[in-house]
Amino acid sequence: MFPKNAWYVACTPDEIAEKPLGRMICGERIAFYRGPEGKVAAVEDFCPHRGAPLSLGFVRDGQLVCGYHGLVMGCDGKTREMPGQRVHGFPCIRAFPVEERYGFIWIWVGDAALADPAKIHRLEWADNPDWAYGGGLYHIQCDYRLMIDNLMDLTHETYVHASSIGQPEIDEAPVSTKVEGETVITSRFMENIMAPPFWRAALRGNGLADDVPVDRWQICRFTPPSHVLIDVGVAHAGHGGYHAEPQHKAGSIVVDFITPETETSIWYFWGMARNFQPQDTELTARIREGQGRIFAEDLEMLERQQKNLLAYPERSLLKLNIDAGGVQARRILDRLVAAERQVREGSAA
């Protein structure tokens, strides 16, 4: 139940720096590695000789060598050679379109003919020296749509993240939801409140007082297949809130790339990009550590939620106004999946 004709974040460059990486993406077992001239490559993680995972092999001169019997695989999925054997008649395995961009490696698991790199989600902050970024990866046992629901409705912060970013005022602030094409936006603004612990630390990191009232904002943007970027921050009250000048606020973009592994498991690439004190590497490390703890607090809730849903498949979930962002995101995903299914069925006929 996920679109396949889309670009997903598959891994980060450091994950293939030393050896191939085996990872399942949208139900496909894939081996990632650096091919000729260091260009990233991705092929089916299946040696055509004996079915061994190619990701357990190694890279030699830009070629992927199976760690079982030494079969050499090309980036195009064609067998190149094998010690003492004639293998040019071996069937090809699948090669996947991949691109390295914005500090991530992206993969297209659907129809390769439709894989246009121009469709990769643009990250304005990624190559901008005025911004700093720190992030990580979690492997979570839940449907990718549950994580989208979680991120498009931040009401849970008051309860799941009570010691870091949660506060009662989140519950009290009205939520606005709108759809622009295939983008869903939910917004919440809070005025003249005290900042929670994480944001007090961020204010201090930007050289601002942390013991005065602030205006706080949360603007969540979903774009398919499963990207959620959240514009968040606080500004000293009375200076324009979200529109305050930089010297009065601490704002960031919470980066969430949710890549399905299976129907009930995901690779969750999380991070935070900020445009204040970008040269302060110690601040980047502190924010990354704090954010990592915050996201870790979601893990048990999402995994236990998934277990409940599997145990009680006949039960329908209730929908409130705070769920509108997730509901609209699911409608977009349903349309995309249905359109792909219709194309496949038409081709089969």
Side-chain angles (χ1 to χ4, degrees):
M1 187 58 187
F2 30 71
K4 288 198 170 185
N5 288 326
W7 290 102
Y8 289 95
V9 172
C11 60
T12 52
D14 60 291
E15 292 186 276
I16 60 170
E18 303 295 332
K19 59 182 181 180
L21 170 72
R23 178 158 291 166
M24 181 179 284
I25 306 289
C26 294
E28 305 283 352
R29 297 185 184 276
I30 304 169
F32 298 87
Y33 64 102
R34 291 204 176 275
E37 301 179 354
K39 183 175 174 59
V40 65
V43 296
E44 187 180 359
D45 199 6
F46 185 95
C47 178
H49 172 223
R50 301 296 295 169
L54 290 169
S55 59
L56 293 181
F58 57 93
V59 179
R60 182 177 63 209
D61 299 328
Q63 303 290 342
L64 182 58
V65 182
C66 179
Y68 199 11
H69 296 96
L71 179 144
V72 179
M73 179 59 62
C75 298
D76 55 1
K78 295 181 180 179
T79 300
R80 292 289 185 264
E81 60 184 79
M82 187 173 174
Q85 305 296 321
R86 300 176 64 179
V87 296
H88 292 290
F90 272 25
C92 292
I93 62 172
R94 187 178 176 188
F96 296 85
V98 283
E99 292 287 332
E100 185 169 4
R101 190 173 298 184
Y102 306 131
F104 298 99
I105 292 168
W106 306 73
I107 188 163
W108 184 282
V109 296
D111 184 348
L114 302 177
D116 181 1
K119 295 180 179 179
I120 293 176
H121 195 101
R122 184 166 179 262
L123 306 180
E124 298 180 4
W125 44 266
D127 300 320
N128 189 332
D130 293 331
W131 289 76
Y133 175 82
L137 170 64
Y138 285 136
H139 185 216
I140 307 175
Q141 302 298 318
C142 76
D143 185 321
Y144 78 109
R145 293 169 298 178
L146 294 183
M147 178 60 86
I148 294 173
D149 294 343
N150 172 276
L151 295 167
M152 293 301 290
D153 170 27
L154 299 181
T155 306
H156 74 277
E157 287 185 355
T158 303
Y159 309 96
V160 180
H161 309 301
S163 63
S164 53
I165 55 177
Q167 57 188 135
E169 289 86 353
I170 295 176
D171 284 355
E172 300 165 3
V175 181
S176 170
T177 301
K178 62 181 179 179
V179 180
E180 298 179 350
E182 290 188 342
T183 298
V184 182
I185 304 169
T186 61
S187 305
R188 180 185 266 119
F189 298 92
M190 294 152 274
E191 297 182 350
N192 201 37
I193 64 174
M194 299 305 294
F198 178 87
W199 285 110
R200 289 202 301 270
L203 287 167
R204 294 193 299 271
N206 199 24
L208 297 169
D210 69 342
D211 58 351
V212 298
V214 299
D215 297 330
R216 182 180 179 184
W217 61 90
Q218 299 171 326
I219 306 171
C220 311
R221 292 181 173 87
F222 162 84
T223 55
S226 50
H227 310 327
V228 181
L229 301 182
I230 310 177
D231 196 332
V232 293
V234 294
H236 283 176
H239 291 279
Y242 174 71
H243 300 288
E245 295 297 320
Q247 65 268 27
H248 300 300
K249 66 182 180 182
S252 303
I253 297 176
V254 177
V255 178
D256 306 281
F257 294 129
I258 307 147
T259 300
E261 178 189 37
T262 68
E263 297 284 356
T264 56
S265 61
I266 62 173
W267 302 102
Y268 176 38
F269 297 86
W270 56 266
M272 179 173 279
R274 74 177 192 284
N275 60 353
F276 63 90
Q277 306 296 334
Q279 75 289 342
D280 191 336
T281 56
E282 291 186 4
L283 178 59
T284 300
R286 289 200 304 273
I287 289 177
R288 179 188 179 279
E289 181 181 359
Q291 193 190 24
R293 287 196 300 267
I294 291 170
F295 284 135
E297 293 169 345
D298 288 305
L299 302 190
E300 181 180 10
M301 183 64 71
L302 289 168
E303 292 187 340
R304 295 286 292 274
Q305 179 187 13
Q306 180 66 69
K307 288 182 178 179
N308 266 355
L309 294 175
L310 292 173
Y312 303 100
E314 74 285 357
R315 294 194 175 184
S316 299
L317 301 184
L318 304 179
K319 298 178 179 63
L320 304 173
N321 64 319
I322 58 175
D323 303 311
V327 169
Q328 293 296 337
R330 286 188 180 228
R331 287 177 179 171
I332 291 172
L333 291 169
D334 288 345
R335 289 198 297 270
L336 293 174
V337 170
E340 288 185 11
R341 184 184 300 115
Q342 186 175 15
V343 170
R344 287 196 303 270
E345 292 174 352
S347 300

